[in-house]
């Protein structure tokens, strides 16, 4: 079974500072994808960044980057130059291919507050 | 393209009543997913369609829950004889068959409160 663990229920960061959100996962799969999704208050969940497990290079997307450690099964998200609009719940997700399609597993989320 | 659309956005119902939620996926997305999310938790998988075929169902999907996607476009999720434990946000998501990075796109969710 796949599990995704986010050990930080809440975090805060000063505007313009950098913050890192942690995620670990457990799987016996070798090929899979990892995602970070952002869910602002009362708004839909949107993709922040994704990482293919077969790629060693860490994904980056503007101010967002990941530290993917496959052997340690760790997938942390770094947000640089934090902005007020980054305030949201952040979910780490694991995806694997199955015969009938894709299966996604989500962590319990980290609530991030950016303080002005 | 307006993204994944869900309605109603909010529903309050009395215990024992039936409710139905509708999801319109992004056009030409063959894959459609239903998830349930409760406060303080991440989304939990309920069921998955490829076109009109329901290919996966979670054990969370009791026999009071039924989902359909009759023409391979929109989908409905019906909950019969609602219970207070059904109170949650029901999320719909879609993706194309060969999505770049296999990303799924979520709707804004339908909040259900059973009183």
């Amino acid at each position: 079974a796949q599990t995704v663990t986010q050990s930080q229920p809440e975090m805060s960061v000063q505007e313009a500072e950098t913050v890192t959100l942690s995620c670990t996962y457990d799987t016996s799969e070798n090929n899979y994808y990892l995602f970070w999704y952002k869910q602002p208050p009362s708004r839909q969940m949107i993709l922040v960044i994704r990482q293919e497990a077969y790629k060693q290079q860490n994904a980056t997307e503007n101010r967002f980057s990941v530290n993917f450690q496959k052997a340690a099964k760790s997938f942390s998200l770094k947000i640089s130059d934090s902005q007020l609009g980054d305030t949201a719940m952040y979910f780490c997700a694991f995806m694997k291919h199955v015969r009938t399609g894709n299966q996604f597993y989500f962590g319990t989320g980290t609530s991030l507050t950016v303080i002005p | 393209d307006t993204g994944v659309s869900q309605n109603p956005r909010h529903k309050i119902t009395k215990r024992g009543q039936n409710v139905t939620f509708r999801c319109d996926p992004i056009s030409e997305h063959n894959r459609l997913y239903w998830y349930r999310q409760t406060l303080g938790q991440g989304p939990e998988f309920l069921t998955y369609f490829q076109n009109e075929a329901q290919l996966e169902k979670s054990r969370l999907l009791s026999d009071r829950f039924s989902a359909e996607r009759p023409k391979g476009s929109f989908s409905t999720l019906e909950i019969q004889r609602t219970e207070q434990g059904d109170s949650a946000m029901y999320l719909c998501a879609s993706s194309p068959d060969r999505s770049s990075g296999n990303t799924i796109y979520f709707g804004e969710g339908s909040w259900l409160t059973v009183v």
Side-chain angles (χ1 to χ4, degrees):
Chain A
Q2 276 62 228
T3 59
V4 179
T5 302
Q6 293 179 248
S7 58
Q8 305 153 313
E10 296 181 352
M11 293 193 72
S12 61
V13 62
Q14 290 290 138
E15 192 175 7
E17 297 295 307
T18 294
V19 65
T20 298
L21 309 183
S22 301
C23 173
T24 58
Y25 58 95
D26 186 24
T27 185
S28 58
E29 303 286 330
N30 193 45
N31 295 319
Y32 51 87
Y33 292 80
L34 296 162
F35 302 82
W36 279 97
Y37 278 87
K38 167 186 176 181
Q39 189 175 41
S42 301
R43 297 187 64 184
Q44 71 192 105
M45 192 136 49
I46 58 175
L47 176 69
V48 175
I49 197 166
R50 63 173 169 254
Q51 173 82 41
E52 294 90 338
Y54 61 85
K55 288 188 177 179
Q56 291 185 333
Q57 186 174 6
N58 289 324
T60 63
E61 196 72 41
N62 300 317
R63 298 183 294 107
F64 300 88
S65 61
V66 299
N67 183 4
F68 174 46
Q69 301 290 328
K70 191 172 183 179
K73 296 179 183 175
S74 170
F75 183 61
S76 61
L77 174 69
K78 185 171 82 170
I79 305 174
S80 304
D81 185 25
S82 297
Q83 300 176 359
L84 296 179
D86 295 335
T87 293
M89 282 289 290
Y90 287 81
F91 292 97
C92 178
F94 168 98
M95 190 218 79
K96 68 173 184 177
H97 292 296
V98 295
R99 180 181 57 83
T100 52
N102 299 330
Q103 282 192 349
F104 286 81
Y105 301 86
F106 289 83
T108 52
T110 296
S111 177
L112 177 68
T113 301
V114 179
I115 303 166
Chain B
D1 193 342
T2 57
V4 179
S5 175
Q6 293 187 244
N7 67 82
R9 292 292 316 283
H10 301 274
K11 179 73 176 179
I12 300 174
T13 190
K14 291 184 178 179
R15 186 163 50 97
Q17 297 294 305
N18 299 343
V19 296
T20 300
F21 299 112
R22 175 178 169 130
C23 171
D24 288 90
I26 294 171
S27 58
E28 298 181 355
H29 276 196
N30 297 328
R31 297 177 176 179
L32 187 146
Y33 304 79
W34 284 100
Y35 286 83
R36 181 171 70 187
Q37 186 179 17
T38 53
L39 285 175
Q41 299 295 320
E44 296 173 295
F45 172 75
L46 290 178
T47 190
Y48 156 68
F49 290 85
Q50 176 133 349
N51 299 313
E52 65 277 8
Q54 188 174 21
L55 298 183
E56 292 281 346
K57 288 201 305 185
S58 162
R59 283 173 289 180
L60 291 175
L61 213 66
S62 76
D63 55 7
R64 296 185 298 105
F65 287 70
S66 62
E68 294 182 342
R69 196 183 182 196
K71 297 181 181 178
S73 56
F74 74 92
S75 175
T76 57
L77 176 68
E78 181 183 18
I79 309 173
Q80 296 181 322
R81 306 180 303 281
T82 52
E83 302 172 356
Q84 287 188 321
D86 297 332
S87 295
M89 181 163 68
Y90 291 86
L91 287 166
C92 179
S94 70
S95 71
D97 261 342
R98 293 187 181 278
S99 173
S100 173
N102 295 281
T103 303
I104 58 174
Y105 301 86
F106 285 90
E108 295 189 342
S110 292
W111 279 102
L112 173 64
T113 301
V114 181
V115 297

